[in-house]
Amino acid sequence: MTDHPTALAAARERLVDVNRRIAAHPLNSTGFRRARALVGTMPEADRTEIESALREQGLPSLGKQTKMLAVGVTSLARLNRKRIRLEKRVAAFG
């Protein structure tokens, strides 16, 4: 049988680590989030205008954002599923 306090402490420790990894994920970076927000504010603009605005602010280009999403969405989703499982586990101990 698993020692309740030890298992709870281990689950909390893993949850802290997962939350840290989610916060440090490239798709949660300030630059990426600002770039996505900027693109969202320009629905009528053409690609050239958007790229220019991104470049002026030193933000990732549309191409770079697409690559970041293609590569990063799976790992971020995996981390979020792990976070949800750990939160449920911690809550079950409580």
Side-chain angles (χ1 to χ4, degrees):
M1 185 162 164
T2 304
D3 183 23
H4 174 74
T6 304
L8 176 58
R12 283 182 175 158
E13 218 172 281
R14 287 194 311 270
L15 182 57
V16 166
D17 179 57
V18 168
N19 282 328
R20 179 194 54 75
R21 290 170 56 198
I22 289 170
H25 196 280
L27 296 184
N28 283 329
S29 70
T30 303
F32 182 79
R33 290 174 40 196
R34 285 184 49 223
R36 297 305 302 156
L38 178 62
V39 171
T41 65
M42 303 176 75
E44 303 299 319
D46 67 5
R47 185 177 182 95
T48 307
E49 290 175 281
I50 294 170
E51 290 287 3
S52 177
L54 290 168
R55 194 172 28 260
E56 286 173 12
Q57 294 187 33
L59 299 172
S61 68
L62 290 173
K64 175 77 173 175
Q65 290 176 51
T66 301
K67 287 178 186 174
M68 289 173 72
L69 281 167
V71 171
V73 75
T74 303
S75 63
L76 185 58
R78 188 178 307 115
L79 285 169
N80 277 304
R81 285 192 306 272
K82 192 177 287 190
R83 176 188 52 82
I84 290 167
R85 280 194 308 271
L86 286 167
E87 287 174 344
K88 287 179 182 178
R89 183 170 173 90
V90 167
F93 282 118

